Amino acid sequence: MDETRIQCNKEDGKKASSQSFMWVIWSAADEEVRAAFFYYSRTRNGDVAKDLLKRFSGYLVTNAYSGYEKVENITRSLCWSHVRRKFLDSIPLDGKGKAIPGSKGAEAVGYIDLLFRVEAQIKDLPIEERKKKRQDASRPILDAF
């Protein structure tokens, strides 16, 4: 699930420069029926997520936005792409804007890239085989991380 800023130029009671949000929910990749649900909201308040997911229980992959903490009966799973972005931002740069090698941020990005590589290699396998290979290949990477 994700919430993305959008700007609506003509909306009653809002300035054209103000931001609203498009909340998007995707079904899991292994679901029999693949679907996406789009919901427009004037706010990013976590009550929107709580309301949208009131009948859902299970794993929910999101960014680190604290508003999702209002949702009950879920197991939060953070998105590795969002985590990677935070580590990228932490890499110190030299005077010319180049990454300084050997930083902990760069090391973390390297581990996450290895996890992404595993996912790319197993993406076309049946779900049970993918799960087994993911455990075999990703667990050592996560342990080292």
Side-chain angles (χ1 to χ4, degrees), residues 4 21 38 43 59 65 67-68 81 85 89 93 99 102 107 113-114 116 125 136 138 141:
T4 301
F21 293 85
F38 296 84
T43 73
Y59 291 93
Y65 173 50
Y68 291 107
S81 292
R85 205 174 305 150
D89 291 344
L93 305 176
E107 185 178 349
D113 287 349
L114 289 174
F116 287 170
L125 298 176
D136 292 345
S138 296
I141 297 167

Side-chain angles (χ1 to χ4, degrees), residues 21-88:
F21 293 85
M22 186 62 69
W23 295 75
V24 184
I25 305 170
W26 294 273
S27 58
D30 61 328
E31 293 289 334
E32 186 174 324
V33 175
R34 300 294 312 273
F37 174 77
F38 296 84
Y39 180 81
Y40 168 80
S41 174
R42 294 168 65 107
T43 73
R44 190 183 185 210
N45 187 300
D47 288 331
V48 175
K50 181 179 179 180
D51 187 51
L52 289 172
L53 297 168
K54 64 186 167 201
R55 292 186 188 99
F56 174 76
S57 65
Y59 291 93
L60 183 67
V61 179
T62 67
N63 57 24
Y65 173 50
S66 63
Y68 291 107
E69 294 301 325
K70 292 186 173 189
V71 181
E72 299 172 357
N73 301 316
I74 63 165
T75 301
R76 286 278 307 274
S77 302
L78 297 181
C79 167
W80 279 111
S81 292
H82 284 89
V83 173
R84 185 182 186 279
R85 205 174 305 150
K86 295 292 184 188
F87 279 116
L88 269 176

